[in-house]
């Protein structure tokens, strides 16, 4: 049975919020390209952003789409694409490929609105199109990115970024911080917390009943028994021991280079990496174009494509929507899983 068949069989039609991203980047392009061929009977997409942006790109790429205003959200039906304006009176000036403070502001208002729709149970999941970190900073948002903003807005203390592509899932113990600050943040209690979040997400979000997790070392060769750094001995191994005592099946620490070089990831349901590039360089090498960014631990479902705004090709009809498609389909699958758990 295919994923689409399983959604039809479930008899459920989740409503999915889509924040349109930076409107001078490729976000509107990839979401519209995907929706132009998506089976709109399986979910109800609600784009948060601005109708002028959606109309502009639909016209630019000659896409004929059943777009309607979301209104008060009371009459959303399968077969349509809905748009909800997050700014009412402000003019929108679209310049594909150009960094813009205004575009940064609107992109974050779209995310904020998508979060609110999910927290109010109007929408069942949120898919976020790419934002520009530089543009949102110019607009006055002092956050490293989507993940931290989502956690703040939902009041979530314990959360983590998981990158998913096929059977490869990589969780990160630290995310958008300078490398020089990574080592002090690798501690036993924090690692146990991330292993718990990852383990629960694998069970609840990915429907894996008995997950097996690989944990990477922080230092080259996983410290070589303490010769090249001692974080493995003082923090990572004790965390693994305690996690296993609490019925979390986690193994390691593994030297990151040989772990991926020997394809050991094929033997595990997920990997906990110690820092951003340690996990994402191999992940994107193996899955680029089809990876999904998922934020675990939130009270809402949030997924995102694994690429950025790509200003260099914005507006040129060259963006590949495969990663957005994967992000949207994962959001729908997770939403259906959660809807199944609701009585009645």
């Amino acid at each position: 049975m295919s994923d689409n068949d399983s959604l039809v069989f479930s008899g459920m039609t989740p409503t999915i919020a889509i924040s349109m991203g930076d409107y001078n980047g490729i976000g509107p392009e990839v979401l519209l390209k995907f929706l132009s061929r998506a089976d709109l009977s399986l979910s109800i997409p609600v784009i948060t952003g601005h109708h002028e942006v959606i109309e502009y790109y639909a016209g630019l790429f000659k896409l004929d789409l059943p777009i309607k205003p979301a209104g008060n959200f009371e009459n959303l039906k399968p077969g349509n694409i809905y748009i909800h304006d997050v700014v009412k009176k402000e003019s929108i000036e679209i310049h594909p490929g150009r960094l813009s403070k205004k575009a940064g502001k609107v992109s974050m208002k779209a995310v904020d609105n998508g979060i609110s729709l999910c927290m109010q149970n109007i929408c069942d999941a949120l898919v976020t199109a790419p934002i520009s970190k530089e543009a949102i900073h110019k607009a006055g948002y002092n956050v490293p990115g989507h993940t931290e903003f989502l956690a703040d807005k939902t009041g979530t203390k314990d959360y983590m970024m998981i990158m998913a592509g096929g059977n490869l899932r990589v969780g990160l113990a630290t995310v958008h911080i300078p490398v020089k600050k990574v080592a002090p943040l690798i501690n036993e209690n924090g690692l146990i917390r991330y292993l718990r979040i990852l383990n629960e997400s694998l069970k609840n979000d990915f429907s894996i009943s008995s997950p097996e997790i690989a944990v990477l070392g922080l230092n080259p060769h996983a410290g070589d028994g303490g010769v090249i750094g001692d974080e493995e001995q003082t923090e990572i191994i004790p965390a693994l021991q305690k996690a296993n005592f609490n019925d979390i099946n986690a193994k390691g620490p593994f030297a990151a280079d040989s772990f991926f070089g020997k394809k050991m990831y094929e033997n595990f349901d997920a990997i906990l990496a110690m820092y951003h590039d340690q996990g994402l360089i191999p992940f994107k090498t193996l899955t680029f174009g089809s990876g999904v960014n998922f934020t675990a631990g939130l009270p809402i479902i949030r997924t995102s494509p694994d690429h950025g705004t790509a200003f260099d090709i914005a507006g040129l009809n060259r963006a590949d929507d495969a990663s957005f498609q994967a992000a949207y389909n994962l959001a729908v699958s997770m939403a259906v899983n959660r809807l199944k758990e609701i009585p009645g």
Side-chain angles (χ1 to χ4, degrees), residues 46-179:
V46 178
I47 302 170
T48 65
H50 201 279
H51 71 278
E52 290 180 14
V53 174
I54 301 306
E55 290 168 1
Y56 172 85
Y57 284 103
L60 183 64
F61 303 125
K62 297 180 174 56
L63 300 173
D64 185 17
L65 300 166
I67 297 174
K68 295 185 176 182
N72 58 9
F73 304 105
E74 291 182 355
N75 297 304
L76 305 181
K77 298 178 181 178
N80 298 310
I81 299 167
Y82 294 92
I83 175 72
H84 182 240
D85 288 350
V86 298
V87 288
K88 303 296 184 182
K89 299 179 180 179
E90 301 176 42
S91 61
I92 301 292
E93 297 181 3
I94 305 167
H95 301 287
R98 184 183 301 179
L99 186 71
S100 162
K101 172 182 174 181
K102 179 64 176 293
K105 176 183 177 181
V106 175
S107 71
M108 290 305 284
K109 283 184 173 291
V111 176
D112 199 358
N113 183 245
I115 295 169
S116 295
L117 292 178
C118 290
M119 293 294 285
Q120 296 173 56
N121 295 318
I122 294 171
C123 292
D124 302 301
L126 170 63
V127 183
T128 57
I131 58 173
S132 163
K133 292 180 175 62
E134 186 176 355
I136 69 170
H137 285 175
K138 286 181 178 293
Y141 288 89
N142 187 28
V143 291
H146 274 123
T147 303
E148 296 81 1
F149 185 75
L150 282 148
D152 179 64
K153 285 292 179 177
T154 59
T156 304
K157 181 181 178 182
D158 293 337
Y159 62 94
M160 73 182 302
M161 177 191 289
I162 298 176
M163 301 300 295
N167 291 324
L168 180 61
R169 305 171 190 90
V170 178
L172 301 177
T174 61
V175 188
H176 298 124
I177 62 171
V179 172

Side-chain angles (χ1 to χ4, degrees), residues 241-296:
Q241 292 171 340
K242 189 168 290 186
N244 279 279
F245 180 78
N246 287 287
D247 297 322
I248 297 173
N249 187 0
K251 295 181 173 63
F254 297 101
D257 55 353
S258 59
F259 181 86
F260 286 101
K262 295 177 181 179
K263 297 185 178 181
M264 296 171 67
Y265 55 85
E266 295 179 351
N267 301 320
F268 293 90
D269 298 301
I271 301 150
L272 179 62
M274 295 298 105
Y275 57 94
H276 187 279
D277 284 12
Q278 183 190 58
L280 295 201
I281 288 174
F283 176 84
K284 291 192 175 184
T285 300
L286 293 165
T287 69
F288 197 72
S290 61
V292 177
N293 182 339
F294 168 64
T295 309

